[in-house]
């Protein structure tokens, strides 16, 4: 804001390099997060994407699912807004969805995190089971709505509608149900 972005960037990058040396080659995760935000806030989207990618890699390696999902959504937004890259944005969101699915205990569902009952489950999304009478994980719903919107706006509107219909058939909080219905009506 005060025209000193390049100096702040140099200082933060130098601090990150020194921290990496001090930590014996380990990446300074907190500084990378800060660098990504500073770069993004100053319109340096290429550099922001580079740092966000480092943050995503570290979050995945450490099993920080919520951080991975949050940053994935920001990266997908950047890819869409700055580059119009629907395919890459979809890949980022699909990766976040897959990571969320992979963290569930064996036999658990995205519905209630309990094992599915033989008669009370349905197939949805990318072939994962979700409990028919359970509520979907709110993070999963948010990602699926964002993915559906991306597909509707991009090159796969049919798949977007299909995903929204699958969500509409589920037990959703009223606000999410209204959002899904509005997207289907558009």
């Amino acid at each position: 804001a005060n025209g000193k972005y390049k100096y702040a960037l140099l200082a933060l990058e130098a601090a990150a390099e020194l921290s990496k040396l001090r930590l014996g080659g380990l990446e300074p995760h907190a500084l990378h997060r800060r660098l990504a935000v500073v770069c993004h806030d100053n319109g340096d989207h290429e550099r922001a994407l580079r740092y966000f990618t480092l943050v995503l890699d570290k979050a995945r390696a450490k099993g920080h699912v919520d951080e991975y999902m949050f940053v994935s959504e920001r990266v997908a937004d950047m890819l869409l807004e700055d580059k119009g890259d629907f395919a890459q944005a979809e890949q980022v969101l699909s990766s976040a969805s897959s990571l969320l699915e992979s963290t569930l205990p064996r036999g658990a569902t995205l519905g209630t995190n309990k094992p599915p009952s033989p008669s009370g489950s349905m197939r949805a999304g990318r072939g994962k089971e979700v409990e028919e009478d359970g509520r979907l994980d709110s993070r999963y719903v948010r990602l699926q709505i964002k993915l559906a919107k991306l597909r509707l706006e991009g090159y796969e509107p049919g798949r977007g509608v299909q995903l929204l219909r699958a969500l509409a058939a589920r037990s959703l909080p009223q606000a999410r149900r209204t959002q899904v219905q509005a997207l289907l009506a558009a």
Side-chain angles (χ1 to χ4, degrees), residues 139-170:
R139 300 169 301 174
Y140 181 76
V141 172
R142 188 179 67 243
L143 278 175
Q144 295 307 300
I145 289 173
K146 194 172 207 79
L147 190 55
K149 286 164 96 175
L150 182 143
R151 289 175 177 166
L152 288 171
E153 295 169 359
Y155 54 91
E156 296 185 280
R159 286 183 65 205
V161 169
Q162 185 179 28
L163 183 53
L164 288 171
R165 285 185 179 148
L167 285 171
R170 302 286 302 135

Short mmCIF file of all heavy atoms in Angstrom, two decimals, residues 139-170:
data_model
loop_
_atom_site.label_atom_id
_atom_site.label_comp_id
_atom_site.label_asym_id
_atom_site.label_seq_id
_atom_site.Cartn_x
_atom_site.Cartn_y
_atom_site.Cartn_z
N ARG A 139 -17.36 -29.18 4.95
CA ARG A 139 -16.22 -28.82 4.11
C ARG A 139 -16.38 -29.47 2.73
O ARG A 139 -16.09 -28.85 1.70
CB ARG A 139 -14.92 -29.30 4.76
CG ARG A 139 -14.68 -28.67 6.12
CD ARG A 139 -13.55 -29.34 6.86
NE ARG A 139 -13.84 -30.77 7.04
CZ ARG A 139 -12.99 -31.65 7.55
NH1 ARG A 139 -11.80 -31.26 7.93
NH2 ARG A 139 -13.33 -32.91 7.69
N TYR A 140 -16.85 -30.70 2.73
CA TYR A 140 -17.07 -31.42 1.48
C TYR A 140 -18.15 -30.73 0.64
O TYR A 140 -17.99 -30.55 -0.56
CB TYR A 140 -17.45 -32.86 1.79
CG TYR A 140 -17.67 -33.72 0.57
CD1 TYR A 140 -16.59 -34.20 -0.16
CD2 TYR A 140 -18.95 -34.05 0.16
CE1 TYR A 140 -16.79 -34.99 -1.28
CE2 TYR A 140 -19.16 -34.84 -0.96
CZ TYR A 140 -18.07 -35.31 -1.67
OH TYR A 140 -18.27 -36.09 -2.78
N VAL A 141 -19.24 -30.33 1.29
CA VAL A 141 -20.32 -29.65 0.58
C VAL A 141 -19.81 -28.36 -0.04
O VAL A 141 -20.08 -28.06 -1.21
CB VAL A 141 -21.52 -29.37 1.51
CG1 VAL A 141 -22.56 -28.49 0.83
CG2 VAL A 141 -22.15 -30.67 1.98
N ARG A 142 -19.06 -27.58 0.74
CA ARG A 142 -18.50 -26.32 0.23
C ARG A 142 -17.63 -26.56 -1.00
O ARG A 142 -17.75 -25.85 -2.01
CB ARG A 142 -17.72 -25.61 1.33
CG ARG A 142 -17.27 -24.21 0.96
CD ARG A 142 -16.51 -23.51 2.07
NE ARG A 142 -15.23 -24.16 2.31
CZ ARG A 142 -14.90 -24.77 3.45
NH1 ARG A 142 -15.74 -24.82 4.45
NH2 ARG A 142 -13.71 -25.33 3.60
N LEU A 143 -16.78 -27.56 -0.93
CA LEU A 143 -15.92 -27.87 -2.08
C LEU A 143 -16.72 -28.33 -3.29
O LEU A 143 -16.43 -27.94 -4.43
CB LEU A 143 -14.92 -28.98 -1.71
CG LEU A 143 -13.67 -28.56 -0.98
CD1 LEU A 143 -12.86 -29.79 -0.59
CD2 LEU A 143 -12.82 -27.62 -1.81
N GLN A 144 -17.74 -29.15 -3.04
CA GLN A 144 -18.54 -29.65 -4.16
C GLN A 144 -19.34 -28.53 -4.83
O GLN A 144 -19.47 -28.51 -6.05
CB GLN A 144 -19.48 -30.77 -3.68
CG GLN A 144 -18.75 -32.01 -3.19
CD GLN A 144 -17.76 -32.55 -4.20
OE1 GLN A 144 -18.13 -32.91 -5.31
NE2 GLN A 144 -16.50 -32.60 -3.83
N ILE A 145 -19.85 -27.59 -4.05
CA ILE A 145 -20.57 -26.45 -4.63
C ILE A 145 -19.61 -25.59 -5.44
O ILE A 145 -19.92 -25.17 -6.55
CB ILE A 145 -21.27 -25.62 -3.53
CG1 ILE A 145 -22.46 -26.42 -2.98
CG2 ILE A 145 -21.73 -24.27 -4.07
CD1 ILE A 145 -23.14 -25.78 -1.77
N LYS A 146 -18.43 -25.37 -4.92
CA LYS A 146 -17.42 -24.57 -5.65
C LYS A 146 -17.02 -25.29 -6.94
O LYS A 146 -16.89 -24.66 -8.00
CB LYS A 146 -16.21 -24.33 -4.75
CG LYS A 146 -15.27 -23.27 -5.24
CD LYS A 146 -14.24 -23.00 -4.16
CE LYS A 146 -13.70 -21.63 -4.23
NZ LYS A 146 -14.45 -20.55 -3.72
N LEU A 147 -16.87 -26.59 -6.87
CA LEU A 147 -16.52 -27.38 -8.06
C LEU A 147 -17.66 -27.34 -9.08
O LEU A 147 -17.42 -27.20 -10.29
CB LEU A 147 -16.20 -28.81 -7.63
CG LEU A 147 -15.59 -29.75 -8.65
CD1 LEU A 147 -14.32 -29.17 -9.25
CD2 LEU A 147 -15.28 -31.09 -7.99
N ALA A 148 -18.90 -27.44 -8.61
CA ALA A 148 -20.05 -27.37 -9.52
C ALA A 148 -20.12 -26.01 -10.21
O ALA A 148 -20.35 -25.92 -11.42
CB ALA A 148 -21.34 -27.65 -8.75
N LYS A 149 -19.89 -24.93 -9.44
CA LYS A 149 -19.90 -23.58 -10.02
C LYS A 149 -18.82 -23.44 -11.09
O LYS A 149 -19.05 -22.88 -12.16
CB LYS A 149 -19.69 -22.53 -8.94
CG LYS A 149 -20.89 -22.32 -8.05
CD LYS A 149 -20.52 -21.58 -6.80
CE LYS A 149 -20.76 -20.12 -6.85
NZ LYS A 149 -20.49 -19.47 -5.56
N LEU A 150 -17.66 -23.96 -10.78
CA LEU A 150 -16.54 -23.92 -11.73
C LEU A 150 -16.92 -24.63 -13.02
O LEU A 150 -16.68 -24.13 -14.12
CB LEU A 150 -15.32 -24.56 -11.08
CG LEU A 150 -14.04 -24.56 -11.88
CD1 LEU A 150 -12.87 -24.34 -10.94
CD2 LEU A 150 -13.86 -25.87 -12.60
N ARG A 151 -17.52 -25.80 -12.89
CA ARG A 151 -17.91 -26.57 -14.08
C ARG A 151 -19.02 -25.87 -14.85
O ARG A 151 -19.04 -25.88 -16.08
CB ARG A 151 -18.35 -27.98 -13.68
CG ARG A 151 -17.19 -28.83 -13.24
CD ARG A 151 -17.63 -30.17 -12.74
NE ARG A 151 -16.48 -31.00 -12.39
CZ ARG A 151 -16.57 -32.11 -11.68
NH1 ARG A 151 -17.74 -32.54 -11.25
NH2 ARG A 151 -15.48 -32.80 -11.40
N LEU A 152 -19.97 -25.25 -14.14
CA LEU A 152 -21.05 -24.52 -14.82
C LEU A 152 -20.50 -23.34 -15.61
O LEU A 152 -20.95 -23.07 -16.72
CB LEU A 152 -22.07 -24.01 -13.80
CG LEU A 152 -22.98 -25.06 -13.16
CD1 LEU A 152 -23.79 -24.42 -12.03
CD2 LEU A 152 -23.89 -25.70 -14.19
N GLU A 153 -19.54 -22.64 -15.04
CA GLU A 153 -18.96 -21.46 -15.68
C GLU A 153 -17.95 -21.83 -16.76
O GLU A 153 -17.66 -21.03 -17.63
CB GLU A 153 -18.28 -20.58 -14.64
CG GLU A 153 -19.23 -19.99 -13.62
CD GLU A 153 -18.51 -19.34 -12.45
OE1 GLU A 153 -17.27 -19.35 -12.41
OE2 GLU A 153 -19.21 -18.84 -11.56
N GLY A 154 -17.41 -23.03 -16.66
CA GLY A 154 -16.34 -23.44 -17.56
C GLY A 154 -16.83 -24.27 -18.72
O GLY A 154 -17.81 -23.96 -19.38
N TYR A 155 -16.17 -25.34 -18.92
CA TYR A 155 -16.36 -26.15 -20.11
C TYR A 155 -17.15 -27.43 -19.87
O TYR A 155 -17.30 -28.24 -20.77
CB TYR A 155 -14.99 -26.50 -20.71
CG TYR A 155 -14.05 -27.14 -19.72
CD1 TYR A 155 -13.99 -28.53 -19.57
CD2 TYR A 155 -13.23 -26.37 -18.90
CE1 TYR A 155 -13.15 -29.11 -18.66
CE2 TYR A 155 -12.38 -26.96 -17.99
CZ TYR A 155 -12.34 -28.33 -17.88
OH TYR A 155 -11.52 -28.91 -16.97
N GLU A 156 -17.67 -27.63 -18.66
CA GLU A 156 -18.41 -28.86 -18.36
C GLU A 156 -19.71 -28.56 -17.61
O GLU A 156 -19.93 -29.05 -16.50
CB GLU A 156 -17.57 -29.80 -17.52
CG GLU A 156 -16.32 -30.29 -18.21
CD GLU A 156 -15.60 -31.32 -17.38
OE1 GLU A 156 -14.88 -30.92 -16.45
OE2 GLU A 156 -15.79 -32.52 -17.66
N PRO A 157 -20.61 -27.78 -18.20
CA PRO A 157 -21.85 -27.44 -17.48
C PRO A 157 -22.70 -28.66 -17.15
O PRO A 157 -23.36 -28.68 -16.10
CB PRO A 157 -22.57 -26.48 -18.42
CG PRO A 157 -21.92 -26.65 -19.75
CD PRO A 157 -20.54 -27.15 -19.50
N GLY A 158 -22.68 -29.68 -17.99
CA GLY A 158 -23.46 -30.89 -17.71
C GLY A 158 -23.00 -31.58 -16.44
O GLY A 158 -23.83 -32.03 -15.63
N ARG A 159 -21.69 -31.66 -16.25
CA ARG A 159 -21.16 -32.27 -15.02
C ARG A 159 -21.45 -31.40 -13.81
O ARG A 159 -21.64 -31.90 -12.70
CB ARG A 159 -19.66 -32.51 -15.16
CG ARG A 159 -19.36 -33.69 -16.08
CD ARG A 159 -17.88 -33.99 -16.17
NE ARG A 159 -17.35 -34.44 -14.88
CZ ARG A 159 -16.08 -34.32 -14.53
NH1 ARG A 159 -15.21 -33.77 -15.34
NH2 ARG A 159 -15.67 -34.75 -13.36
N GLY A 160 -21.48 -30.08 -14.01
CA GLY A 160 -21.83 -29.18 -12.91
C GLY A 160 -23.26 -29.39 -12.46
O GLY A 160 -23.54 -29.47 -11.26
N VAL A 161 -24.18 -29.49 -13.41
CA VAL A 161 -25.59 -29.73 -13.09
C VAL A 161 -25.75 -31.09 -12.41
O VAL A 161 -26.48 -31.22 -11.42
CB VAL A 161 -26.47 -29.64 -14.37
CG1 VAL A 161 -27.88 -30.15 -14.11
CG2 VAL A 161 -26.50 -28.21 -14.88
N GLN A 162 -25.05 -32.08 -12.91
CA GLN A 162 -25.11 -33.43 -12.32
C GLN A 162 -24.66 -33.40 -10.86
O GLN A 162 -25.29 -34.01 -9.99
CB GLN A 162 -24.24 -34.37 -13.16
CG GLN A 162 -24.30 -35.81 -12.75
CD GLN A 162 -23.41 -36.67 -13.65
OE1 GLN A 162 -22.42 -36.20 -14.21
NE2 GLN A 162 -23.79 -37.93 -13.81
N LEU A 163 -23.59 -32.70 -10.59
CA LEU A 163 -23.08 -32.60 -9.23
C LEU A 163 -24.07 -31.86 -8.33
O LEU A 163 -24.33 -32.27 -7.19
CB LEU A 163 -21.72 -31.90 -9.23
CG LEU A 163 -20.99 -31.74 -7.91
CD1 LEU A 163 -20.85 -33.07 -7.19
CD2 LEU A 163 -19.62 -31.13 -8.15
N LEU A 164 -24.65 -30.78 -8.84
CA LEU A 164 -25.64 -30.03 -8.06
C LEU A 164 -26.88 -30.88 -7.78
O LEU A 164 -27.44 -30.81 -6.68
CB LEU A 164 -26.04 -28.75 -8.79
CG LEU A 164 -24.97 -27.65 -8.80
CD1 LEU A 164 -25.37 -26.52 -9.73
CD2 LEU A 164 -24.69 -27.13 -7.40
N ARG A 165 -27.32 -31.65 -8.75
CA ARG A 165 -28.48 -32.53 -8.53
C ARG A 165 -28.19 -33.57 -7.45
O ARG A 165 -29.05 -33.90 -6.64
CB ARG A 165 -28.90 -33.19 -9.83
CG ARG A 165 -29.62 -32.24 -10.76
CD ARG A 165 -30.13 -32.94 -11.99
NE ARG A 165 -30.84 -31.98 -12.84
CZ ARG A 165 -30.87 -32.06 -14.15
NH1 ARG A 165 -30.26 -33.05 -14.79
NH2 ARG A 165 -31.53 -31.15 -14.83
N ALA A 166 -26.98 -34.11 -7.47
CA ALA A 166 -26.60 -35.09 -6.44
C ALA A 166 -26.61 -34.43 -5.06
O ALA A 166 -27.07 -35.03 -4.08
CB ALA A 166 -25.23 -35.67 -6.74
N LEU A 167 -26.14 -33.19 -4.98
CA LEU A 167 -26.16 -32.47 -3.70
C LEU A 167 -27.59 -32.14 -3.28
O LEU A 167 -27.92 -32.24 -2.10
CB LEU A 167 -25.34 -31.18 -3.80
CG LEU A 167 -23.82 -31.33 -3.79
CD1 LEU A 167 -23.15 -30.01 -4.10
CD2 LEU A 167 -23.33 -31.89 -2.47
N ALA A 168 -28.42 -31.74 -4.23
CA ALA A 168 -29.81 -31.37 -3.92
C ALA A 168 -30.59 -32.56 -3.36
O ALA A 168 -31.53 -32.37 -2.59
CB ALA A 168 -30.50 -30.83 -5.17
N ALA A 169 -30.20 -33.75 -3.72
CA ALA A 169 -30.88 -34.95 -3.24
C ALA A 169 -30.47 -35.32 -1.82
O ALA A 169 -31.03 -36.22 -1.22
CB ALA A 169 -30.60 -36.13 -4.19
N ARG A 170 -29.50 -34.63 -1.28
CA ARG A 170 -28.95 -34.92 0.05
C ARG A 170 -29.56 -34.04 1.13
O ARG A 170 -30.19 -33.02 0.83
CB ARG A 170 -27.43 -34.69 0.03
CG ARG A 170 -26.70 -35.53 -1.01
CD ARG A 170 -26.59 -36.97 -0.65
NE ARG A 170 -25.90 -37.02 0.63
CZ ARG A 170 -26.29 -37.77 1.63
NH1 ARG A 170 -27.27 -38.59 1.51
NH2 ARG A 170 -25.65 -37.73 2.77
#
